[in-house]
Amino acid sequence: MILGTTTAAVGAEGHVDNPYAGATQYVNDKWSAAVTAEAAAVAATNPTLAAQMLAIKDQPTAVWMDRIGAINGNVDGPGLKYHLDAALAQKGAAPIVLNVVIYNLPGRDCYALASNGELPATAAGLTRYKTEYIDPIAELLAKPEYAGIRISATIEPDSLPNLSTNMSEPACQTSAPYYKEGVTYALDKLHAITNVYTYVDAAHSGWLGWENNASHAVQTFVDVATSTKAGFASIDGFVTNTANSTPLTEPYLPDSTLSLSGTPIRSSSFYEWNFDFDEIDWTANLYTRLVAGGFPSTVGMLIDTSRNGWGGPNRPTATSTSSVLETYIAESKVDKRTHRGAWCNPAGAGIGERPQATPAGYTSSHLDAFVWIKPPGESDGSSSLIPNDEGKGFDRMCDPTFSSPKLSGKLTGALPGAPVSGKWFSTQFQQLVTNAYPAIPATGTQPPADTVAPSVPTNLVAGATTLSSIAVSWTASTDNVAVTGYDISSGGVVVGSSPTTSFTVAGLATDTAYTFTVRAKDAAGNVSAASAPLTARTATDVVIPGPDTVAPTAPTNLVAGTTTTSAVPLTWTASTDNVGVTGYDVYSGTTKVGSSTTTSHTVTGLTAGTSYTFTVRAKDAAGNVSVPSAAVTATTQTVPVTPAGSCQVTYSTNDWNSGFTATVKIKNTGTAAINGWSLGFAFPAGQTITNGWSAVYTAAGAAQTITNQSWNGTIAAGQTVEIGFNGSHTGTNTRPTAFTLNGAACS
């Protein structure tokens, strides 16, 4: 591809209803190159699969701006300007759409770890998001030379959906205000550019399809839209199934309202009473709710079909004839995940519908297009912990050996051997092509056989040694396609293999010299010549340290943070130790009230309006304990008093089987603001709260105490605050009748 730079606005146009209609979509040549390399790697052993890969190498995929460094380009690829210039070079007589993902909110992905980002959920993180991320992107997109490109921006995957369902998670509570302000800022900046189209992420049917989740999500979308300068007009549409594998349709379960032997099929363990079995169900449901909430009828939907095909030999061909509900569902559904919440590199998934504008046959969904937002072949997250400089953690949902409580104790069903999110995952891409539905015809031109051996590894050096091992490393080889690994030999015998440029040879004799060489290999079976030899010796002795009798130094700078009515947060400066500090014990007087492995701890369960004195002691693995730190005194806050008769509580529930969702509205009917509140009541029939949102929940038997979050503690006169929770019951869900607010009775 030859890239050109245009210096004037070419093909500038007004803002249209559906940017995909009558347009082509941008093909990322970097993704195409990765597909071509993968095809070359499998051509010798599976020429049909290679041809299928090449048949889709020119499909359009989105460009992800997943950190500040991606704007100008980084180790993962070129920057945004490169893709804008490439889109101009690809543009013909028809309009062209460039799909860009805006994905770098402070505290990103608060309910997961694999896709955490570089910016913390703090005021400073939000400032960097605005000034170092959104502003440079908006400035680049607004350049006159790019006015002829329709830029479709997917706005912050998973952000607003997390605020709709996961507010019981402390990280989401912390992130919430930064998500709302950050998304509002991004919409204001991007909507102001005529040729930019904003599509806000709306999760998928297996996340937001339930009645309560859907209503909360739409209210969140309405709140954010109405907080922007342009209101509802700032959002052109919504995109669902981003980087997920929920099917477009469940062809053999087309009606979720059906029953089997009198039992609703949606009550199965897989659908968990959710009416929306697939993305067509969810987009139709979402559209209706959005328009009812105030969005214009022109609001459009995108569905990411990059990984939701579920084809291959295990795809059902008819509705099950079983009369057993769980068997009926398992044999009928095309979605073969262990649970609808399993999102990470799911085994058995396949590429879905190819990108296309205004897909026919789905009138109620108001689809603008099928798109590939998540480029097939890019990992969702690593199968095990892999250190990286992108802020991406290890989420056990990506570990195939993990039975997750979030999945009702089922295994995650994730593929093994996955790299960190966004990196190329060969195993996954091969599976996606193999299981594509509709199937991919093998029409691509097969690459020639690879007969070129990799170059010889260089700079073979020895690192750390033990009594029985020697660590070696070397400089990477090059290859006409790609190096797949290295073999390490000693005395002509292969003693190990590595996919990276390092390896530790183990099982060696003590105080013995060994000579090593390394050879590179590629997927076609070509092997390089041997590297220059390296001679290294194992260690002769290991010094065994004596017993540790030295106590850590005392912690210093013990300070108390902002208190609540029942808790005092403490922080201190770390102690030092001759081996290493393993933790700290916190004391109130002579009583230990908590332990921490870090330099902070919050003491809870305290009495309101009471003064406490705390000290901290450090400890090490040998059991040595430091002397106490200097003491700090802190006083808990006094419980606010609400005058009797100045509050009103409205309590309503949505019940099912043994569960329910409760909505609680607290109204200040007095004449003065309530600053800080604590709602009390007792369940009359043994109900329990399983999780809640927008408040802090504490139970003591039947008695429930619900206190405000930092952001909703003030209720102005005449105003109402709404909270909610999920609960369980044993067949009877009698409504509580007596409520108190800060100790005073409410009507």
Side-chain angles (χ1 to χ4, degrees):
M1 177 183 297
I2 299 174
L3 304 183
T5 301
T6 304
T7 58
V10 177
E13 61 180 7
H15 201 80
V16 299
D17 175 39
N18 178 2
Y20 293 87
T24 61
Q25 293 186 51
Y26 169 66
V27 177
N28 182 352
D29 64 343
K30 301 304 178 184
W31 182 79
S32 298
V35 174
T36 301
E38 190 69 39
V42 303
T45 56
N46 195 335
T48 299
L49 180 60
Q52 289 175 304
M53 292 176 178
L54 293 174
I56 61 166
K57 71 178 180 66
D58 292 327
Q59 289 292 336
T61 54
V63 174
W64 286 62
M65 296 289 104
D66 63 348
R67 46 184 161 151
I68 293 169
I71 301 172
N72 292 322
N74 52 30
V75 67
D76 290 331
L80 183 56
K81 184 179 187 304
Y82 173 94
H83 295 291
L84 289 163
D85 289 339
L88 282 179
Q90 289 182 21
K91 186 178 184 298
I96 190 168
V97 177
L98 170 62
N99 294 293
V100 176
V101 183
I102 305 300
Y103 188 51
N104 199 30
L105 274 174
R108 188 177 74 192
D109 273 15
C110 59
Y111 200 63
L113 296 173
S115 299
N116 291 162
E118 64 184 346
L119 301 178
T122 62
L126 180 62
T127 297
R128 290 193 66 197
Y129 178 78
K130 292 179 178 179
T131 61
E132 297 180 41
Y133 180 71
I134 292 297
D135 287 355
I137 290 175
E139 181 180 1
L140 185 57
L141 298 183
K143 287 184 177 295
E145 57 262 42
Y146 303 129
I149 304 172
R150 297 177 179 179
I151 299 159
S152 175
T154 293
I155 306 297
E156 296 294 352
D158 294 347
S159 59
L160 299 184
N162 268 318
L163 302 192
S164 304
T165 64
N166 294 325
M167 289 304 291
S168 61
E169 176 68 28
C172 293
Q173 296 170 15
T174 301
S175 298
Y178 304 112
Y179 280 15
K180 289 183 177 179
E181 186 173 345
V183 171
T184 298
Y185 188 84
L187 290 171
D188 282 341
K189 283 286 188 175
L190 297 177
H191 171 73
I193 306 169
T194 303
N195 57 307
V196 174
Y197 297 80
T198 56
Y199 288 86
V200 171
D201 181 79
H204 57 92
S205 59
W207 181 348
L208 297 181
W210 288 272
E211 171 71 22
N212 193 57
N213 290 359
S215 60
H216 277 290
V218 170
Q219 186 59 55
T220 301
F221 298 149
V222 169
D223 290 346
V224 170
T226 53
S227 71
T228 65
K229 296 176 182 177
F232 290 114
S234 67
I235 298 176
D236 292 285
F238 291 81
V239 53
T240 79
N241 210 39
T242 300
N244 207 272
S245 53
T246 306
L248 186 66
T249 63
E250 281 289 354
Y252 308 116
L253 294 170
D255 187 351
S256 61
T257 65
L258 296 177
S259 296
L260 184 70
S261 301
T263 302
I265 63 173
R266 69 187 182 97
S267 69
S268 66
S269 61
F270 191 74
Y271 291 111
E272 301 177 311
W273 294 94
N274 188 334
F275 270 119
D276 292 347
F277 281 9
D278 51 48
E279 289 309 280
I280 290 303
D281 289 343
W282 170 229
T283 47
N285 181 4
L286 176 61
Y287 176 85
T288 300
R289 290 174 179 273
L290 289 168
V291 174
F295 279 90
S297 60
T298 54
V299 67
M301 300 290 162
L302 305 178
I303 299 178
D304 184 356
T305 58
S306 60
R307 302 188 308 171
N308 69 346
W310 295 104
N314 295 323
R315 183 181 174 88
T317 57
T319 303
S320 172
T321 58
S322 175
S323 59
V324 178
L325 178 60
E326 296 300 330
T327 303
Y328 174 85
I329 294 296
E331 292 179 349
S332 301
K333 65 183 177 68
V334 299
D335 188 339
K336 295 305 177 186
R337 289 176 292 179
T338 58
H339 187 280
R340 296 186 85 195
W343 52 266
C344 192
N345 302 320
I351 287 173
E353 292 282 354
R354 276 30 125 206
Q356 57 181 287
T358 56
Y362 310 106
T363 304
S364 297
S365 293
H366 296 265
L367 298 182
D368 282 352
F370 293 147
V371 287
W372 284 6
I373 300 299
K374 177 74 170 181
E378 291 188 3
S379 174
D380 294 322
S382 59
S383 304
S384 58
L385 178 62
I386 299 177
N388 63 87
D389 62 356
E390 301 175 41
K392 296 174 180 177
F394 168 47
D395 196 312
R396 291 296 303 277
M397 291 289 283
C398 300
D399 178 359
T401 68
F402 181 53
S403 298
S404 173
K406 296 179 183 179
L407 307 179
S408 302
K410 296 182 176 65
L411 288 170
T412 63
L415 289 169
V420 296
S421 61
K423 306 300 184 185
W424 187 260
F425 187 11
S426 176
T427 301
Q428 183 199 64
F429 185 68
Q430 292 182 32
Q431 171 195 268
L432 291 174
V433 175
T434 299
N435 293 338
Y437 189 89
I440 300 170
T443 56
T445 302
Q446 297 182 25
D450 179 13
T451 59
V452 179
S455 65
V456 178
T458 57
N459 301 324
L460 180 61
V461 295
T465 64
T466 69
L467 290 173
S468 60
S469 68
I470 298 174
V472 294
S473 61
W474 54 91
T475 300
S477 300
T478 58
D479 189 46
N480 65 317
V481 177
V483 173
T484 59
Y486 300 86
D487 287 334
I488 299 90
S489 298
S490 178
V493 177
V494 175
V495 293
S497 297
S498 173
T500 66
T501 56
S502 63
F503 183 76
T504 297
V505 186
L508 305 177
T510 303
D511 193 18
T512 303
Y514 291 87
T515 299
F516 303 103
T517 57
V518 178
R519 296 173 183 264
K521 54 189 178 182
D522 63 18
N526 303 303
V527 179
S528 75
S531 68
L534 164 73
T535 299
R537 181 178 293 274
T538 52
T540 60
D541 195 8
V542 176
V543 177
I544 301 175
D548 178 14
T549 59
V550 180
T553 61
T556 58
N557 301 324
L558 178 63
V559 295
T562 303
T563 64
T564 67
T565 57
S566 62
V568 176
L570 302 171
T571 59
W572 55 90
T573 300
S575 300
T576 59
D577 188 52
N578 64 318
V579 176
V581 174
T582 59
Y584 301 86
D585 289 332
V586 181
Y587 287 82
S588 176
T590 59
T591 302
K592 187 169 76 171
V593 292
S595 296
S596 174
T597 58
T598 66
T599 56
S600 64
H601 178 73
T602 298
V603 185
T604 58
L606 304 178
T607 303
T610 304
S611 180
Y612 293 88
T613 299
F614 301 101
T615 58
V616 179
R617 298 170 182 254
K619 54 190 178 183
D620 62 19
N624 302 304
V625 179
S626 75
V627 297
S629 67
V632 65
T633 299
T635 302
T636 53
Q637 298 177 16
T638 302
V639 176
V641 177
T642 301
S646 64
C647 60
Q648 181 183 69
V649 175
T650 304
Y651 180 97
S652 60
T653 64
N654 179 21
D655 299 358
W656 69 90
N657 285 359
S658 60
F660 68 97
T661 297
T663 300
V664 183
K665 298 180 179 179
I666 306 168
K667 183 175 182 179
N668 180 359
T669 57
T671 58
I674 297 173
N675 295 307
W677 50 265
S678 177
L679 178 70
F681 64 88
F683 279 127
Q687 302 99 316
T688 58
I689 295 176
T690 56
N691 68 290
W693 48 91
S694 300
V696 178
Y697 296 79
T698 306
Q704 310 296 316
T705 301
I706 305 176
T707 56
N708 64 273
Q709 296 282 7
S710 60
W711 49 270
N712 65 353
T714 299
I715 311 177
Q719 298 300 306
T720 299
V721 65
E722 179 178 328
I723 61 174
F725 56 83
N726 291 325
S728 62
H729 59 81
T730 57
T732 302
N733 189 24
T734 307
R735 176 190 184 279
T737 56
F739 297 88
T740 61
L741 194 70
N742 297 339
C746 286
S747 59

